Amino acid sequence: MSSTQERDEREHVSQESDERVGADLARTLEDAARALLERGEEEGVEHTLGLVVRGAVQTVPHVEQAGISLVERGGRVQSYVPSSQVVRELDELQNELGEGPCLDSIWYEQRTLVDDMDQAHDRWPRYAPAALERDVGSLMSFQLFTERGSAGALNLYAARPHVFDESTADAGRLFAAQAALVLHGAQHVQGLHLALDNRDVIGQAKGILMERFGIGQQQAFSMLVESSQHTNMKLVKVAEWLTGEHEKKSGTS
């Protein structure tokens, strides 16, 4: 039997290890958040998601490869910032086969755990053998949920089976939350850009009407609203048509 001193020493080492992992995790997430704030554009989103993936590989115990699967228009899943070619291949394979743990996480489950890929043939009869051929023994996938529903999944891979436990899941969940926040911010920025673009074209249309009819801003806006109602077109579409016609006439005059 081990002595009390030996048990205390083991507990002390384990505590130090947990603290080190926690510090690494916090540092990685802070770097990702800082990168997003500094860049703020679409390029910054990809860069920040890349930091999340690399941070997961470097920080989460037993994780050797990682990647993010994002849902594109039409429901197709695209491999995003994969840490290796194997991750990219497995994402593409799931699209071809229509099965796999990453797809399950995206569409059905908040977290999908494959403790032993060799035992997953019944659930994914075509995907599991392909993953084993690429030395994937276990996998953990986390749904990335945003205000528009599931945006994708963060996927963590290990070569050996039975290596993921609750502490691994907790660490992975933090990286998944960070990735979801990045995507949420990107959606918000995209919507903000669209709103600003709409505001600009409506402002241009108002200016055209004000100059043409000698009216004020409120009257010009009322004319756009009435035109939108009478034609059953969105206000911004009416404004786009008006500015387009004005540009055509200005170009030919």
Side-chain angles (χ1 to χ4, degrees), residues 144-194:
L144 305 180
F145 193 82
T146 67
E147 62 182 359
R148 300 182 188 178
S150 176
L154 171 67
N155 312 306
L156 310 179
Y157 302 82
R160 293 187 296 118
H162 306 292
V163 295
F164 292 143
D165 54 21
E166 283 306 311
S167 63
T168 309
D170 289 342
R173 194 178 296 113
L174 287 173
F175 280 99
Q178 180 71 13
L181 285 172
V182 171
L183 293 172
H184 175 80
Q187 290 178 347
H188 176 72
V189 169
Q190 184 182 32
L192 181 60
H193 286 171
L194 180 61

Side-chain angles (χ1 to χ4, degrees), residues 119-247:
Q119 304 298 319
H121 291 75
D122 291 341
R123 187 169 183 180
W124 305 294
R126 293 174 294 174
Y127 173 85
L132 286 169
E133 288 176 3
R134 292 165 173 80
D135 296 321
V136 174
S138 53
L139 180 150
M140 189 175 289
S141 183
F142 301 85
Q143 186 182 83
L144 305 180
F145 193 82
T146 67
E147 62 182 359
R148 300 182 188 178
S150 176
L154 171 67
N155 312 306
L156 310 179
Y157 302 82
R160 293 187 296 118
H162 306 292
V163 295
F164 292 143
D165 54 21
E166 283 306 311
S167 63
T168 309
D170 289 342
R173 194 178 296 113
L174 287 173
F175 280 99
Q178 180 71 13
L181 285 172
V182 171
L183 293 172
H184 175 80
Q187 290 178 347
H188 176 72
V189 169
Q190 184 182 32
L192 181 60
H193 286 171
L194 180 61
L196 290 175
D197 290 342
N198 290 348
R199 187 188 67 180
D200 288 345
V201 73
I202 291 172
Q204 292 172 20
K206 284 166 53 181
I208 293 169
L209 293 175
M210 290 166 63
E211 181 181 358
R212 182 177 300 177
F213 296 102
I215 56 178
Q217 289 192 31
Q218 187 60 46
Q219 290 173 302
F221 185 73
S222 296
M223 288 180 67
L224 288 174
V225 172
E226 289 180 9
S227 298
S228 173
Q229 293 172 344
H230 291 161
T231 58
N232 200 27
M233 292 173 61
K234 291 185 177 180
L235 181 63
V236 67
K237 292 297 181 182
V238 174
E240 287 174 351
W241 178 85
L242 181 60
T243 55
E245 289 296 307
H246 179 73
E247 289 174 359

Side-chain angles (χ1 to χ4, degrees), residues 7-221:
R7 288 197 300 271
D8 290 345
E9 288 177 352
R10 285 199 299 269
E11 290 175 359
H12 180 69
V13 170
S14 176
Q15 183 179 359
E16 286 185 340
S17 177
D18 291 343
E19 289 176 352
R20 185 167 57 253
V21 169
D24 291 342
L25 176 60
R27 189 181 307 111
T28 302
L29 296 180
E30 287 173 1
D31 290 344
R34 189 177 302 110
L36 180 63
L37 291 173
E38 289 175 351
R39 293 176 179 240
E41 300 295 334
E42 186 173 348
E43 179 187 357
V45 172
E46 182 172 1
H47 176 79
T48 306
L49 290 177
L51 285 177
V52 172
V53 168
R54 290 196 299 273
V57 174
Q58 295 168 1
T59 306
V60 182
H62 310 297
V63 171
E64 297 162 78
Q65 303 180 80
I68 291 175
S69 306
L70 294 183
V71 180
E72 295 187 329
R73 291 179 180 176
R76 180 175 176 82
V77 177
Q78 178 68 35
S79 184
Y80 212 68
V81 292
S83 66
S84 68
Q85 182 60 29
V86 166
V87 174
R88 187 185 301 276
E89 290 175 1
L90 289 175
D91 270 339
E92 293 173 353
L93 187 63
Q94 289 183 88
N95 269 321
E96 295 173 11
L97 301 178
E99 66 176 43
C102 307
L103 292 182
D104 283 5
S105 286
I106 290 172
W107 300 120
Y108 310 116
E109 303 176 8
Q110 292 186 355
R111 187 185 77 184
T112 301
L113 171 64
V114 185
D115 203 32
D116 187 348
M117 191 64 70
D118 195 36
Q119 304 298 319
H121 291 75
D122 291 341
R123 187 169 183 180
W124 305 294
R126 293 174 294 174
Y127 173 85
L132 286 169
E133 288 176 3
R134 292 165 173 80
D135 296 321
V136 174
S138 53
L139 180 150
M140 189 175 289
S141 183
F142 301 85
Q143 186 182 83
L144 305 180
F145 193 82
T146 67
E147 62 182 359
R148 300 182 188 178
S150 176
L154 171 67
N155 312 306
L156 310 179
Y157 302 82
R160 293 187 296 118
H162 306 292
V163 295
F164 292 143
D165 54 21
E166 283 306 311
S167 63
T168 309
D170 289 342
R173 194 178 296 113
L174 287 173
F175 280 99
Q178 180 71 13
L181 285 172
V182 171
L183 293 172
H184 175 80
Q187 290 178 347
H188 176 72
V189 169
Q190 184 182 32
L192 181 60
H193 286 171
L194 180 61
L196 290 175
D197 290 342
N198 290 348
R199 187 188 67 180
D200 288 345
V201 73
I202 291 172
Q204 292 172 20
K206 284 166 53 181
I208 293 169
L209 293 175
M210 290 166 63
E211 181 181 358
R212 182 177 300 177
F213 296 102
I215 56 178
Q217 289 192 31
Q218 187 60 46
Q219 290 173 302
F221 185 73

